[in-house]
Amino acid sequence: MSASSEPSIVIVDDHALFRSGVRAEVEGLLDVLAEAGSVEEAVRLIGEHKPDVVLLDVHMPGGGGAEVIRQVARTAPAQRFLALSVSDAAEDVIAVVRAGARGYVTKSISGEELAAAVERVRDGDAVFSPRLAGFALDAFAGSVPEAEVDPELDQLTMREREVLRLIARGYMYKEVAQQLDISARTVEAHVGAVLRKLQLSNRHELSRWAVERRLVD
Amino acid sequence: MASAAEPLREGGATRRGPLRRDPGRGIVGGLIAGLGNRVGIEVALLRVLFVVGVVLSGGLLLAAYAIGWAIVPSVDVRGRLVPARLSGWAGRRGLHLGFGVGLLALAALLVFRELGLWWSDALVWPLVLAAAGAALLWGQSRSRVEGRAAAPELPPRAALTRQVEVGAHEPQEPSPFLELYRGGFGIALVVGAGLLFLSQNDALGGARDAAFTAIVAIFALALILAPFIWRLGRNLASERTARIRSEERAEVAAHLHDSVLQTLTLMQKRAGDPREVAALARRQERELRGWLAGDRDDSGGGLASALTAAAEEIEDAHRVKIEVVSVGDCDLGPDALAVVGAAREALTNAAKFAGEGGPISLYAEVDERRIEVYVRDRGPGFDPDAAPADRRGVRESIVGRMRRHGGDATIASAPGAGSEIALTIDRESAR
């Protein structure tokens, strides 16, 4: 882990009020390099400042957070994003996660929790809120036709399901580790694997959510 | 057609929108390529068909191509719209261009006539006249619609460049005189073509060809009226859209006034009580969310929405935050109702004793076999074996209720680590 000084971030949100709110809350915990209010501004500022993590609003005019990820990924595929949203709708969350965000938290999260989540994303881990865990369980519930199943991507392992269920029940990562009697690193690994499946699997639940979102925008 | 068509894909509308020439991919004027874009047929096939058509029609199709080239606007390499050659018809350049195109078409026709690729004078000349008249009428109807959409301060040429997808609101008529003149000229051309055709076929004299006369007359009439009817339909549609929009806006305004503004006023009054303000804000947020989700997600009536409703009620009553996550759903049978009742007790319990510690989590999972609900709080926790009497009472009611319905409830807690109540029950269908 490269737990050096405080992680640097760029805040992307079309509401100035919200940006300054976040900035005030993470004061001293995170190093805010810049704020962007539109997709174009975000792409430019992220390219200029190269932050450790981009805090990304899901809903923005001009394609939303998913569009920012797609454009930045052309020049800087390694850039890490954490999605932040007031929306609880599965299609919003899944669309931005499938575009490449490494996690999703709701805007009601506290400053400390947000800082911890950013740190985790900076270190290459995934951040699952209880709600995202619920979506993942929903998406991978039920069976897929045998012929189409890619066990690597289209199904969760028993352990991954257990981890997700505990997160959905409101357990912190270290509490999950305690409960399952595994190390925190192993929990991280399971969550990372689920993120990969969420992003790459072609299960129709996931595609459907993502497609619905793009049509709505 | 994949690689060459790439730039057009940028604005998906261009591919399925109105007919546009596509000189980037075309050989001569891009008309066939544009047609291919529009109807989604392989361009090469269209080209072959076109050549065959030119020969079969004695060159008429070539004239049609020239007219099409002149009046159909084109897109440039980036998919942007370029005005039609003849869209600046009133302008000097447009007039010259139109004149030149007309002469060229005439020359081509004469050449074909000399070469013997010809049907008969009686058919071709009236058709040429009719085509010219129809082109004028159509052009007029199109430019009027486009003129309306353009901003008033734009010069005419720039104004015509604006792409029109839906009829717009500010009518900006071109000079009525010019319009009348052009319209009258077009009608005269079409009618004249019909008459010429009839006289050349000796149909005007004999009543035996009355039916034939009528058909030709109707054809000419249809050619004249079509653009007007088309425009009428378009105006009606755009009016309807505008009306629906304003109705929707009124509804949103009324809703915001009734709910959000009221809440904001209340919050200002109660500014001294943070918990009350937070509770008000949360209730408003929930209400607004429900309204926004509205018809999109009609999940009412199931276990998940019953649990959400219970959680919201307790949030309001105890001013705590409850995070609800549910996976799967089922109908509210007796077993599900028992779970909702027990979950409500558990939530109330957590809100009373552990509401200060942070949000309460409610997680529900339903599959074919069973229902599981977990209520977790971040309060001080307790030793379940040495529970205080008042808490034991609640516990009994939760556990007792679940057992009566054939389910079970377990409580896990430790001092300092919050507590979690797990409710499980097998579904009736699976028993």
Side-chain angles (χ1 to χ4, degrees), chain A:
Chain A
M1 258 196 264
S2 60
S4 56
S5 60
E6 48 201 45
S8 61
I9 60 168
V10 165
I11 305 172
V12 181
D13 196 302
D14 55 326
H15 296 104
L17 197 64
F18 178 76
R19 292 200 303 268
S20 51
V22 170
R23 191 189 265 270
E25 263 201 89
V26 299
E27 187 84 68
L29 299 169
L30 300 172
D31 179 16
V32 182
L33 300 178
E35 296 173 14
S38 68
V39 172
E40 302 80 55
E41 200 184 358
V43 172
R44 184 169 56 78
L45 288 174
I46 293 166
E48 257 171 46
H49 293 279
K50 303 197 170 33
D52 292 331
V53 175
V54 177
L55 273 188
L56 190 62
D57 185 21
V58 172
H59 285 282
M60 281 199 301
E67 184 59 31
V68 175
I69 298 181
R70 273 191 283 275
Q71 289 191 23
V72 170
R74 279 182 215 144
T75 50
Q79 179 64 54
R80 287 180 176 145
F81 295 89
L82 175 60
L84 202 60
S85 170
V86 290
S87 169
D88 286 342
E91 60 266 29
D92 293 343
V93 177
I94 297 298
V96 76
V97 165
R98 277 177 83 85
R102 294 204 60 85
Y104 161 78
V105 291
T106 48
K107 281 184 175 176
S108 52
I109 192 171
S110 75
E112 291 84 36
E113 284 175 309
L114 182 58
V118 166
E119 208 160 308
R120 207 174 288 147
V121 170
R122 179 196 60 183
D123 296 336
D125 294 323
V127 171
F128 272 44
S129 65
R131 195 163 292 279
L132 180 52
F135 289 154
L137 284 169
D138 237 347
F140 288 98
S143 52
V144 277
E146 276 297 324
E148 293 164 30
V149 73
D150 176 357
E152 279 291 302
L153 290 177
D154 294 342
Q155 277 171 345
L156 299 180
T157 65
M158 274 310 290
R159 204 53 153 178
E160 285 162 359
R161 286 184 56 80
E162 280 173 341
V163 169
L164 282 182
R165 291 183 66 199
L166 286 171
I167 294 174
R169 278 157 64 177
Y171 283 63
M172 306 289 186
Y173 280 24
K174 60 174 185 294
E175 293 169 333
V176 174
Q178 225 166 31
Q179 183 80 16
L180 296 179
D181 212 5
I182 52 181
S183 75
R185 253 352 282 178
T186 313
V187 174
E188 301 275 15
H190 285 309
V191 174
V194 175
L195 180 77
R196 206 173 70 87
K197 292 179 182 181
L198 270 184
Q199 289 174 341
L200 299 179
S201 166
N202 286 321
R203 279 189 74 117
H204 83 273
E205 288 87 351
L206 292 165
S207 328
R208 178 170 54 83
W209 279 337
V211 165
E212 269 172 20
R213 178 70 233 142
R214 224 162 288 170
L215 286 180
V216 168
D217 251 345

Side-chain angles (χ1 to χ4, degrees), chain B residues 310-332:
Chain B
E312 285 172 357
E313 214 173 282
I314 290 155
E315 271 192 337
D316 271 351
H318 297 273
R319 298 182 188 173
V320 290
K321 174 125 187 81
I322 301 176
E323 204 170 330
V324 184
V325 176
S326 57
V327 173
D329 204 353
C330 65
D331 292 336
L332 276 180

Side-chain angles (χ1 to χ4, degrees), chain B residues 15 21 30 60 71 79 81-82 86 101 148 162 183 228 259 279 283 319 348 350 366 392 411 418 429:
Chain B
R15 290 182 64 79
R21 288 191 297 114
L60 266 184
I71 63 172
L81 191 69
V82 174
L86 286 190
V101 170
R148 281 184 190 189
R162 289 291 195 85
F228 295 104
S259 61
R283 189 188 309 156
R319 298 182 188 173
T348 311
V366 181
R392 189 182 299 140
I411 300 173
S429 49

